[in-house]
Amino acid sequence: MQLVIVESSAKAKTIEKYLGKDFKVLASYGHVRDLPPKDGSVRPDEDFAMDWELYRDKQKRFKEIADAAKGASRLVLATDPDREGEAISWHVQELLKKRKALPTKVDRVTFNAITKSAITTAMKSPRELDTDLIDAYLARRALDYLFGFTLSPVLWRKLPGAKSAGRVQSVALRLVVDREREIEAFNPVEYWSVLAKMEHDGTAFDARLVKFDGKKLGKHDLGNEGSAMAAKAAVEAGRFTVEEIETKPLKRNPSPPFTTSTLQQEASRKLGFSASHTMRCAQSLYEAGAITYMRTDGVQMDGSAIAAARDAIDERFDSSYKPEKPRFYSTKAKNAQEAHEAIRPTNFTKDKAGSGDEAKLYSLIFKRAMASQMSAAQLERTTITLRDATGQHELRATGQVVKFPGFFAVYQEGFDDKSEDDEEGLLPSMSKGDVPAKKGVEANQHFTQPPPRFSEASLVKRLEELGIGRPSTYASTIQTIRDRDYVRMEKNRFHAEDSGRLLTAFLERFFPTYVAYDFTAGMEDELDTVSDGGEDYKELLAKFWKDFKPKTEEVMEKLPSEVTEALDEYLSDYLFPPTEDGEDPRRCPLCATEGRENGKLNLRGGRFGAFIACVNYPECKFTRRFAQPGSDGDDGSADGVMGQHPETGEDIHRKTGRFGPYVEMEHEEKKKRASIPKDLDDFDLEWAIKLLDLPRIIGAHPETGKEIEAAIGRYGPYLRHDGKYAKLTSTVDVFETGMNAAVTLLAEAANRKGGGRQKAEPIKTLGEHPTSGGEIKVMPGRYGPYVTDGNVNATIPKDVKPEDIEAAQAIELIDARAAKAPAKKKRKKAAPKKKTAAKKKAPAKKAAKADAK
């Protein structure tokens, strides 16, 4: 019997079917062991020795592999065809050696697709494990471990509120923060455009003013309303004649098939998928044999696949849609290895595969791959120039038409940010000397725009351009900075949170080398050199550790006050920007109001993170959140007594704390407080009274007779009734929601699983449970991911990625969880009996001792 090891049970079943009775195929379910998450797992002083630990949940699984290996004549390691796959094979081999279960013959095979031809061909061309790839894996794993486990303790001690730092994630975060800084530093410039609304032969078109008073206009030359109105009047007064018509043919070639990063980008643009969700769907399609391997930076397709794509084009279109010769592509991405094919369908006769989101992603992959072998799109761009009788003023109209669609018939690539100057559309047929009718003239005001915030697609693209990280790491890198709350997503764009901004400032100030783009990209180059056999991985680690370790020790020796002082100076332009009235931006507004001198604001560190406070503390208790005044923070200038409560007569104070502005008043010998919500633009005494009087009683529920309350809590505005909750949209809703709307919202919330929460989407579905018959799903949970069959929920171990869970493993977890429940109850009942027995025996022992005496 020959034993074959792959990574998932879905692959195992398919491959065993292709290979026949002489082979037994088992799944490792991803990595089988890793560095234990504790200090000392990598020991630089011992030539970078590493300790490895078998995952707890893999012990039973690996015992099955080891038992099968003992009776096997040959071991075939057939994990994924990349560095991680090579590493898994190496780990399996090393563990079997330790258990003395390694067969005498061991081979490594790789394949780019799970099809019968690909599998049988691969089995005929075995090789040994690639030690260079394994060394590159060891280097990367050790680097990431040393970076995280050495730097994170420094953060915890010197930067309260920071959670962790990573070699690649910190640089990705810096990209987001740098873009935020660009946006804040951007000064918009006013400019105007003049547009004539024209018509000819019943077809309307626009013509832009490009020359005024004999001078060609640049984009920003009409810089104010006065000049724009003068130009508009000149166009209105002029009679414009067609003077020049230029028609220029354009050709647009198709993009290459998808790589990992371009698939993530396009799925984000066109399908709204996150990078991690894209990879989960692609993994399922790969394991089902529908697409080739999905972790690749190669853009070329196999010759047989190119021929199949061209045949598919012949079946669907006429011969003009297929170029005479096949198209061949080469990547422009930095650090691309091109070790594997691009992502493509395994069968070009199938234009559909999978269901739900997997089907959508397959359609994208299929269309892109087919379009890559199609004819270029033929376009025609027409530019028409119109002048008035004086020749001093000139209008220009531009249009673009598709003469032959070519690959456009199947696919067009999306773009992250389209220019406002892009002009497309059909112009009427005109000749020199024509005088189109002028229907109106517009003068429009514009302002230059700051660079757009990163979307997932554009962030992945930028990381790839800089050569930072690898295609397989982008999804997890982005997910990490989101999970750590260093960034937030608004309208599918990344915004830097205060915690992310502060962490980036700390790293830039104290560890500038290690968040530098060129350093991180250079490290990727060196890791690639290791994988090519050009550098010893331990020498690479030694170079890194020689400088990194002393730097962390130097920072660890600094007092927290020294760190805060350095950050205060480093961030002064952000935290204390110049004021419009020329006053000192560090002047404490509360000290100024109460007549105290030397009231200066400084950055301070606290248990929950950094904040702004006055040097006169504790005499002055002014505080402000870590944020720039006028952005996410509040400068406290409006603090003071707002007025009196109409019923109690107590003063209502407006104050600013480290978590933002709030109102406060004495109430029955206690202080009553309410945070000021961000969605209230005009906050006044009336709003303060309303907030302090919460919760608001809407009335008695018509069915239960119990009160319905509206209030604002930690997670925003909500309704509460009989222990059940429903979410409200805004602060205004708390005070305006009536009985009918409240009853409806509570009913809708009750129909959703988990009270008022939105029903979570499954990460993965795995078919029916063989015993209960319920559908097995991998779900995200409040306390971590879990698997469920609808009756039993079982937590997924922390060292297992939820997307890697297979049906067999899920069933095992669910069954183990179901078996545990009764056992716990029995142990609880048995406990009192043991205590009673122990108490009864105690006097007998004393009596025995007494007799002995």
Side-chain angles (χ1 to χ4, degrees):
M1 184 267 291
Q2 300 182 53
L3 177 63
V4 181
I5 302 298
V6 294
E7 286 170 306
S8 74
S9 61
K11 287 165 68 175
K13 289 176 185 175
T14 305
I15 293 170
E16 192 167 77
K17 181 177 66 177
Y18 291 151
L19 294 178
K21 296 179 181 178
D22 292 337
F23 292 85
K24 183 177 181 63
V25 186
L26 293 178
S28 70
Y29 292 96
H31 276 281
V32 293
R33 64 178 186 172
D34 196 8
L35 298 169
K38 61 183 181 182
D39 196 24
S41 294
V42 178
R43 299 185 297 283
D45 296 338
E46 299 175 32
D47 198 25
F48 296 96
M50 300 184 201
D51 291 333
W52 301 97
E53 183 179 76
L54 181 66
Y55 289 130
R56 287 184 181 180
D57 69 308
K58 297 290 179 72
Q59 291 178 5
K60 183 179 178 182
R61 184 67 53 197
F62 196 79
K63 184 179 183 302
E64 183 185 353
I65 292 173
D67 290 344
K70 288 176 183 177
S73 59
R74 178 192 180 204
L75 174 67
V76 180
L77 299 166
T79 49
D80 287 343
D82 58 7
R83 186 184 57 247
E84 292 299 311
E86 207 74 18
I88 292 170
S89 288
W90 174 76
H91 280 303
V92 170
Q93 179 176 278
E94 291 297 299
L95 278 168
L96 289 176
K97 274 184 189 176
K98 284 187 176 181
R99 298 193 180 196
K100 297 181 179 179
L102 190 68
T104 53
K105 185 171 177 57
V106 180
D107 287 323
R108 170 79 166 118
V109 301
T110 58
F111 37 82
N112 194 45
I114 304 174
T115 60
K116 187 171 184 178
S117 61
I119 303 298
T120 52
T121 301
M123 295 299 285
K124 294 175 183 176
S125 305
R127 61 172 173 80
E128 294 183 350
L129 283 172
D130 189 325
T131 54
D132 292 333
L133 274 182
I134 295 165
D135 284 349
Y137 159 79
L138 293 172
R140 187 180 293 274
R141 191 68 195 89
L143 272 175
D144 291 341
Y145 173 92
L146 291 171
F147 192 99
F149 271 83
T150 309
L151 184 55
S152 292
V154 179
L155 294 177
W156 302 333
R157 293 281 297 277
K158 307 302 176 185
L159 195 69
K163 296 176 182 177
S164 71
R167 186 177 61 87
V168 177
Q169 80 183 52
S170 297
V171 182
L173 174 61
R174 185 189 168 189
L175 279 170
V176 176
V177 171
D178 278 353
R179 180 57 55 90
E180 204 75 33
R181 291 169 179 160
E182 289 180 60
I183 293 169
E184 289 165 357
F186 182 81
N187 290 315
V189 175
E190 179 187 12
Y191 69 97
W192 291 70
S193 64
V194 175
L195 205 67
K197 297 290 184 179
M198 313 292 280
E199 185 180 293
H200 187 74
D201 288 343
T203 301
F205 65 97
D206 294 339
R208 185 183 300 273
L209 180 67
V210 294
K211 188 176 180 182
F212 175 56
D213 281 344
K215 179 186 174 184
K216 286 187 177 181
L217 292 177
K219 185 175 180 179
H220 304 147
D221 284 351
L222 296 177
N224 55 60
E225 186 176 8
S227 60
M229 290 306 163
K232 177 186 176 185
V235 174
E236 287 174 331
R239 181 174 183 270
F240 287 84
T241 305
V242 174
E243 295 289 342
E244 297 173 13
I245 300 175
E246 180 185 7
T247 301
K248 185 178 180 181
L250 294 176
K251 184 171 75 171
R252 191 171 297 173
N253 289 313
S255 299
F258 284 126
T259 63
T260 302
S261 65
T262 56
L263 177 63
Q264 290 172 3
Q265 293 170 46
E266 199 72 337
S268 175
R269 298 182 193 113
K270 290 192 170 181
L271 303 177
F273 290 178
S274 67
S276 56
H277 185 60
T278 297
M279 295 311 291
R280 282 196 295 269
C281 293
Q283 178 83 36
S284 297
L285 290 169
Y286 169 65
E287 291 179 356
I291 63 170
T292 53
Y293 192 54
M294 68 289 163
R295 291 188 177 92
T296 175
D297 48 22
V299 292
Q300 187 54 267
M301 291 199 299
D302 178 77
S304 62
I306 291 175
R310 289 169 64 83
D311 288 344
I313 295 166
D314 278 334
E315 289 180 10
R316 291 168 173 78
F317 303 96
D318 64 48
S319 59
S320 61
Y321 284 82
K322 187 179 78 174
E324 288 185 14
K325 296 180 180 179
R327 293 184 180 275
F328 297 96
Y329 297 92
S330 60
T331 186
K332 296 178 182 177
K334 189 178 179 181
N335 286 337
Q337 299 298 292
E338 296 195 270
H340 312 300
E341 276 191 84
I343 304 169
R344 62 164 176 84
T346 55
N347 187 346
F348 276 96
T349 63
K350 291 177 62 176
D351 58 3
K352 293 180 182 178
S355 60
D357 286 352
E358 291 172 17
K360 293 177 184 175
L361 190 67
Y362 179 82
S363 178
L364 205 63
I365 293 168
F366 180 90
K367 289 175 180 176
R368 172 89 165 219
M370 177 182 281
S372 73
Q373 289 300 320
M374 293 179 70
S375 300
Q378 305 292 335
L379 300 94
E380 187 176 81
R381 188 174 184 84
T382 302
T383 303
I384 297 175
T385 302
L386 304 96
R387 296 192 188 95
D388 71 344
T390 65
Q392 294 294 298
H393 312 308
E394 194 173 285
L395 300 173
R396 183 171 297 155
T398 307
Q400 184 171 287
V401 293
V402 177
K403 305 298 283 185
F404 171 69
F407 74 94
F408 279 2
V410 172
Y411 182 87
Q412 286 194 59
E413 186 175 7
F415 297 94
D416 294 307
D417 303 291
K418 196 172 182 180
S419 169
E420 64 181 36
D421 295 330
D422 288 347
E423 294 179 28
E424 294 183 4
L426 188 65
L427 291 175
S429 177
M430 287 183 279
S431 303
K432 187 175 180 180
D434 285 343
V435 182
K438 194 191 321 161
K439 297 296 184 180
V441 181
E442 296 177 354
N444 299 311
Q445 185 185 36
H446 309 275
F447 291 92
T448 53
Q449 296 298 309
R453 288 184 171 88
F454 285 110
S455 63
E456 275 215 13
S458 57
L459 183 57
V460 166
K461 184 178 181 181
R462 187 63 182 139
L463 287 167
E464 186 179 38
E465 288 171 348
L466 291 170
I468 293 169
R470 304 298 298 146
S472 59
T473 66
Y474 293 145
S476 59
T477 297
I478 291 171
Q479 192 60 46
T480 298
I481 62 174
R482 293 183 67 174
D483 291 344
R484 298 285 187 271
D485 295 324
Y486 292 146
V487 299
R488 69 180 187 278
M489 291 293 280
E490 287 184 12
K491 297 180 180 177
N492 294 322
R493 296 281 174 166
F494 286 105
H495 292 247
E497 293 283 20
D498 289 347
S499 56
R501 186 145 198 167
L502 186 63
L503 172 61
T504 299
F506 176 85
L507 295 174
E508 287 177 326
R509 174 61 181 80
F510 294 104
F511 296 92
T513 299
Y514 303 100
V515 287
Y517 301 138
D518 56 352
F519 172 84
T520 310
M523 187 64 73
E524 294 295 339
D525 288 337
E526 288 199 69
L527 288 167
D528 289 338
T529 303
V530 171
S531 66
D532 292 337
E535 184 175 1
D536 182 85
Y537 82 94
K538 290 184 178 180
E539 290 180 6
L540 169 62
L541 293 174
K543 282 192 296 182
F544 168 80
W545 190 246
K546 180 183 176 183
D547 296 325
F548 183 68
K549 180 60 175 174
K551 187 64 180 175
T552 57
E553 291 172 344
E554 175 193 325
V555 178
M556 188 65 96
E557 289 174 1
K558 293 182 180 293
L559 294 172
S561 57
E562 291 181 278
V563 172
T564 304
E565 185 179 339
L567 289 176
D568 178 273
E569 181 182 353
Y570 187 79
L571 291 165
S572 60
D573 291 342
Y574 169 66
L575 296 173
F576 309 106
T579 58
E580 292 182 5
D581 57 9
E583 291 285 343
D584 182 1
R586 288 182 178 267
R587 184 173 66 107
C588 173
L590 190 56
C591 285
T593 303
E594 298 180 2
R596 284 188 293 270
E597 295 183 0
N598 301 321
K600 296 286 185 181
L601 300 180
N602 292 96
L603 182 68
R604 301 278 286 274
R607 182 180 175 187
F608 301 103
F611 62 99
I612 308 300
C614 181
V615 295
N616 286 330
Y617 180 85
E619 184 181 2
C620 175
K621 291 184 170 58
F622 175 85
T623 58
R624 189 181 82 206
R625 294 175 62 199
F626 173 87
Q628 186 178 6
S631 58
D632 292 334
D634 191 284
D635 63 7
S637 60
D639 288 0
V641 177
M642 298 184 70
Q644 290 72 41
H645 194 284
E647 295 179 8
T648 67
E650 295 289 349
D651 286 343
I652 295 177
H653 297 263
R654 186 190 192 280
K655 298 185 175 183
T656 302
R658 69 184 63 177
F659 301 113
Y662 64 95
V663 288
E664 177 185 272
M665 77 169 186
E666 295 287 340
H667 180 68
E668 297 177 355
E669 300 183 356
K670 292 182 181 179
K671 290 189 187 316
K672 189 170 184 180
R673 296 187 179 96
S675 294
I676 300 176
K678 289 184 178 180
D679 60 351
L680 295 179
D681 295 328
D682 299 315
F683 186 76
D684 54 16
L685 178 61
E686 184 181 350
W687 272 115
I689 294 166
K690 285 182 177 181
L691 291 173
L692 290 166
D693 285 347
L694 288 175
R696 167 185 167 239
I697 306 301
I698 295 175
H701 195 287
E703 295 178 7
T704 66
K706 296 181 179 181
E707 289 182 338
I708 300 176
E709 292 180 354
I712 300 173
R714 182 179 178 184
Y715 301 108
Y718 66 89
L719 295 171
R720 178 171 59 193
H721 164 255
D722 195 20
K724 305 285 174 52
Y725 295 83
K727 190 175 182 181
L728 292 173
T729 305
S730 67
T731 301
V732 173
D733 289 343
V734 174
F735 303 97
E736 293 186 357
T737 299
M739 179 59 71
N740 290 339
V743 170
T744 301
L745 288 169
L746 286 163
E748 289 174 351
N751 288 332
R752 293 195 295 264
K753 189 176 179 181
R757 295 180 190 166
Q758 291 290 332
K759 186 177 179 181
E761 290 294 324
I763 296 171
K764 199 174 185 181
T765 54
L766 301 169
E768 290 187 1
H769 190 284
T771 307
S772 70
E775 185 177 24
I776 302 173
K777 295 179 181 179
V778 182
M779 301 293 293
R782 184 179 179 184
Y783 303 105
Y786 63 94
V787 290
T788 181
D789 65 348
N791 299 309
V792 177
N793 296 344
T795 302
I796 295 173
K798 290 183 179 179
D799 53 9
V800 178
K801 293 182 180 179
E803 56 266 27
D804 291 341
I805 291 285
E806 297 298 333
Q809 195 175 7
I811 293 166
E812 187 178 319
L813 289 170
I814 291 168
D815 290 349
R817 180 69 185 88
K820 281 182 181 179
K824 287 183 178 178
K825 291 180 181 178
K826 287 178 183 178
R827 282 196 292 271
K828 286 180 180 178
K829 288 179 182 178
K833 292 180 181 179
K834 290 180 181 178
K835 283 187 176 181
T836 306
K839 285 179 181 177
K840 285 180 181 179
K841 289 179 181 178
K845 288 181 180 178
K846 287 180 180 178
K849 287 182 181 179
D851 291 342
K853 289 178 181 177

